[in-house]
Amino acid sequence: MKFAASLALAAAACALSAPASAQFAKPEDAVKYRQSALFVMSQHFGRIGAMVNGRAPYDAKSAIENAEVVADMSKLPWAGFIPTSEGISQKAKADIWKEQAKFKEHNEKLMGETTKLVAAAKTNNLDNLKTAFGQTAAACKACHDNFRNN
């Protein structure tokens, strides 16, 4: 049931994400939107992390479900990085708006790695999942290192 709710949320968000910047009534709404999408993504990514790091038993079905949510959610936050939201969140560095091409490159890299994460999960092989998890985590870290204040 939780997966269905997450999937429904992801599907609704996907449908709305393309014109999202025009839909934000206030810049604060854009910040909430992107932070919410990133939070949901991190929660599902953390579930996979628990499996690949031995803190939770490996469950192939759960790995696939969580990887699919991560991949879907990875498409959403970028619409919330609108120019008028600069400076609202203390976590987002100003470089996001100064280096748009580099920022876009990082989010595209993350989306690509999450697609690979889904493919690895579908092999039902923990070693494949571990490799893809590490690559996805590295893409997350690279963006955080460049564009997020700790």
Side-chain angles (χ1 to χ4, degrees):
M1 185 59 136
K2 288 181 185 179
F3 175 71
S6 294
L7 195 55
L9 172 66
C14 281
L16 300 174
S17 67
S21 60
Q23 294 179 5
F24 298 119
K26 302 179 287 189
E28 293 82 3
D29 294 341
V31 173
K32 288 179 190 174
Y33 172 85
R34 69 186 190 224
Q35 288 176 341
S36 296
L38 290 164
F39 176 79
V40 171
M41 186 171 64
S42 73
Q43 293 299 300
H44 289 273
F45 192 62
R47 293 173 186 169
I48 298 168
M51 284 186 257
V52 302
N53 292 311
R55 294 187 315 269
Y58 173 66
D59 177 335
K61 182 178 183 283
S62 177
I64 293 168
E65 291 170 348
N66 282 290
E68 288 174 338
V69 172
V70 169
D72 288 341
M73 296 305 291
S74 76
K75 299 170 189 168
L76 303 180
W78 320 115
F81 286 95
I82 59 174
T84 56
S85 70
E86 182 179 356
I88 293 173
S89 170
Q90 297 303 309
K91 291 181 182 179
K93 287 184 178 179
D95 291 347
I96 290 170
W97 293 272
K98 293 176 186 168
E99 299 179 34
Q100 283 284 298
K102 184 177 177 184
F103 183 64
K104 182 175 169 118
E105 191 177 297
H106 279 279
N107 70 54
E108 288 174 353
K109 172 76 171 165
L110 175 64
M111 289 186 290
E113 293 302 331
T114 63
T115 299
K116 294 175 190 175
L117 182 67
V118 172
K122 289 182 176 179
T123 68
N124 297 324
N125 180 295
L126 183 57
D127 290 331
N128 292 344
L129 185 63
K130 285 180 181 181
T131 299
F133 178 86
Q135 293 168 339
T136 305
C140 290
K141 183 179 181 327
C143 193
H144 284 197
D145 288 349
N146 287 283
F147 296 106
R148 183 177 186 210
N149 293 314
N150 294 328

